[in-house]
Amino acid sequence: MKTSTFPDPFETARKEDGVLEIDDQNDKVTMLLRHKDVRKTAHNYKSFTSETQPGRIVVPSEVSIRDTRQIPFEVDPPKHGAYRALIEPWFRRPLDPENQAKLTAQIESIVADALCKQTVEIVEDFALPLQSKALTLLLNTPLEESETWISWGTHVFRSEGEALDGDKANVLYDYIEAQLDRTIAQPGEDLYSVLLNSEVEGKKLTKEEAKGVMVLTFAGGRDTVINAVTNAIAYFADHPEGLARLRQEPELIGNAVEEMIRYFSPLTQMGREVTEDTQVCEHAIKAKSRVSLCWASANRDEGIFENANEIVLDRKVNPHVGFGFSHHNCLGATHARQIMRILLSTLSHQIGKIEILSSEDNIEDWKKYRRKVGYHQLTVKLSPLNK
């Protein structure tokens, strides 16, 4: 088995039952595994709400480590739409040519630095700095701020061996509080300032609401982007012909990004709370219980995707749910897509060969399933393209 192979642990349960039940801190979660059920449930916010106790829709639940509501992630329509209308234009800034040029320069510099070394550890020394530096462009904050974020390590809610770490999470919360206080005293042109100077439904955004947006922005796009970047590097190490093809057919880079998000599914699942007794996939679901939308399983549904367990770089029809679905589709998807497109373009033009020297898989273990989501470490040797 190649290093970049990600087996599908949900295949049997998806075909036989359509669901899988796991225990999350003594709170049962019914995982929905089929593409149709995941999309239908994601769209039905009246029966499956996101607006419950802060942290409960996340799997594993974060109710023990935060009471700040992440916005607009943990808000349902119609108010969700009002928050989204405020925030979404800012999160589409990565499409601006000036922003793209700056992001390209960052990524090209990181790749060039990696080429200068004999070996490079991709998770901590490549993907984490790349994600953190790119975030400064999204927030419109000084590049130096990325050094603080890099110092937190790859996870903001977890320490080694712990699913959740309240003390570590408080580092993020305290940081955001301090940044908001700084902004109140001295407004600027960053996202903090935009939020604190905005209104939703005729009311000024509160500091707590601004904090909710910022917590989501920091936490939601950290592990996922790091996983996406690292997994792509591993894939092209195992499949050098893929990198060569993108070099010859750069018009396929957009398709390749979508396909990698589908196959690797950087985020396994996201929960909802059931508002009324209902039924999903012929299974009774009780009110107040939790279901999860298993993006990773839906993205391997063989009834939807031909050759679902393979990366097909030129896949034409690709209704993946790697960035979520319906009104709660990922707010940072534009940013993540730009990072991946520029990275793949840069790799195809600068890298001739990637050799994996060592790796340690990052495995989610829920007893009912074990899923590879990325790597704890991936050490490679990069060789330049002989032009």
Side-chain angles (χ1 to χ4, degrees):
M1 184 183 296
K2 294 183 176 180
T3 303
S4 62
T5 299
F6 278 48
D8 174 16
F10 307 110
E11 182 176 5
T12 300
R14 182 175 58 245
K15 290 179 177 178
E16 294 180 353
D17 298 318
V19 301
L20 193 65
E21 291 188 350
I22 59 173
D23 180 80
D24 177 17
Q25 302 164 70
N26 298 315
D27 187 3
K28 186 181 77 172
V29 179
T30 301
M31 300 175 64
L32 310 182
L33 305 178
R34 294 173 181 160
H35 189 271
K36 177 185 69 175
D37 294 324
V38 166
R39 298 210 332 172
K40 184 177 180 180
T41 302
H43 192 65
N44 183 4
Y45 66 88
K46 292 184 178 179
S47 297
F48 304 96
T49 182
S50 298
E51 197 165 340
T52 181
Q53 182 180 1
R56 191 169 188 238
I57 66 169
V58 185
V59 184
S61 168
E62 295 172 0
V63 296
S64 65
I65 63 170
R66 70 174 168 93
D67 53 17
T68 295
R69 182 173 302 281
Q70 294 184 1
I71 295 174
F73 170 62
E74 293 177 317
V75 182
D76 285 330
K79 195 167 186 178
H80 171 272
Y83 283 121
R84 186 111 188 181
L86 164 66
I87 301 166
E88 196 154 34
W90 183 276
F91 279 82
R92 294 185 66 81
R93 290 172 64 256
L95 297 177
D96 296 341
E98 182 181 354
N99 195 291
Q100 289 184 46
K102 291 178 180 179
L103 182 57
T104 299
Q106 283 186 356
I107 292 176
E108 288 180 345
S109 175
I110 290 170
V111 171
D113 287 347
L115 274 169
C116 291
K117 302 174 182 178
Q118 285 293 313
T119 63
V120 59
E121 198 290 300
I122 295 297
V123 181
E124 290 277 353
D125 298 336
F126 185 96
L128 174 58
L130 190 156
Q131 181 273 333
S132 298
K133 291 179 180 180
L135 186 60
T136 66
L137 296 177
L138 184 64
L139 302 189
N140 199 29
T141 56
L143 180 63
E144 300 76 49
E145 282 299 298
S146 65
E147 296 302 321
T148 297
W149 310 336
I150 291 168
S151 73
W152 296 341
T154 53
H155 306 296
V156 293
F157 288 154
R158 299 198 296 276
S159 294
E160 189 67 32
E162 292 188 49
L164 295 171
D165 185 339
D167 290 339
K168 192 167 186 184
N170 284 333
V171 172
L172 172 62
Y173 304 148
D174 293 344
Y175 173 85
I176 292 174
E177 284 274 359
Q179 294 302 309
L180 290 170
D181 288 340
R182 171 193 58 78
T183 301
I184 291 170
Q186 189 174 0
E189 297 182 350
D190 52 22
L191 180 55
Y192 304 101
S193 302
V194 168
L195 293 172
L196 290 171
N197 195 40
S198 297
E199 293 185 355
V200 172
E201 296 180 337
K203 295 181 180 179
K204 191 174 179 66
L205 211 68
T206 66
K207 181 183 175 184
E208 183 67 12
E209 288 172 313
K211 181 180 178 181
V213 174
M214 296 309 304
V215 170
L216 175 62
T217 302
F218 273 97
R222 193 172 179 86
D223 291 7
T224 48
V225 170
I226 291 169
N227 284 341
V229 168
T230 307
N231 297 344
I233 298 287
Y235 174 78
F236 288 120
D238 284 340
H239 300 273
E241 74 283 356
L243 205 56
R245 185 176 183 188
L246 295 185
R247 190 178 305 124
Q248 297 299 319
E249 301 177 72
E251 66 275 9
L252 293 181
I253 286 176
N255 299 70
V257 169
E258 299 305 315
E259 178 67 346
M260 288 186 163
I261 296 299
R262 179 197 71 82
Y263 179 83
F264 293 121
S265 293
L267 181 66
T268 299
Q269 60 188 321
M270 187 53 62
R272 298 286 189 269
E273 184 178 285
V274 182
T275 62
E276 58 188 358
D277 291 355
T278 188
Q279 196 173 61
V280 177
C281 191
E282 300 180 354
H283 294 268
I285 309 291
K286 290 289 188 181
K288 300 298 182 183
S289 66
R290 284 197 295 165
V291 299
S292 88
L293 314 172
C294 187
W295 315 122
S297 175
N299 282 340
R300 297 291 186 94
D301 192 326
E302 51 286 313
I304 303 297
F305 303 99
E306 186 178 358
N307 300 320
N309 289 318
E310 299 176 15
I311 288 183
V312 181
L313 292 178
D314 61 354
R315 191 182 293 275
K316 300 296 189 298
V317 180
N318 195 347
H320 73 78
V321 289
F323 288 120
F325 182 71
S326 192
H327 49 280
H328 276 298
N329 64 303
C330 178
L331 193 63
T334 300
H335 177 61
R337 283 185 168 110
Q338 286 293 76
I339 289 174
M340 292 301 294
R341 286 171 182 162
I342 294 170
L343 175 65
L344 265 56
S345 177
T346 303
L347 292 176
S348 68
H349 285 95
Q350 301 295 330
I351 304 298
K353 181 181 179 182
I354 305 172
E355 180 184 358
I356 296 176
L357 303 178
S358 66
S359 66
E360 180 187 353
D361 291 346
N362 180 5
I363 304 292
E364 280 185 358
D365 189 350
W366 284 90
K367 296 183 180 179
K368 291 290 186 71
Y369 77 87
R370 299 180 78 250
R371 177 178 184 257
K372 180 177 176 178
V373 296
Y375 302 88
H376 287 303
Q377 71 89 10
L378 178 73
T379 302
V380 306
K381 179 180 179 180
L382 301 178
S383 300
L385 179 66
N386 295 320
K387 297 181 180 179

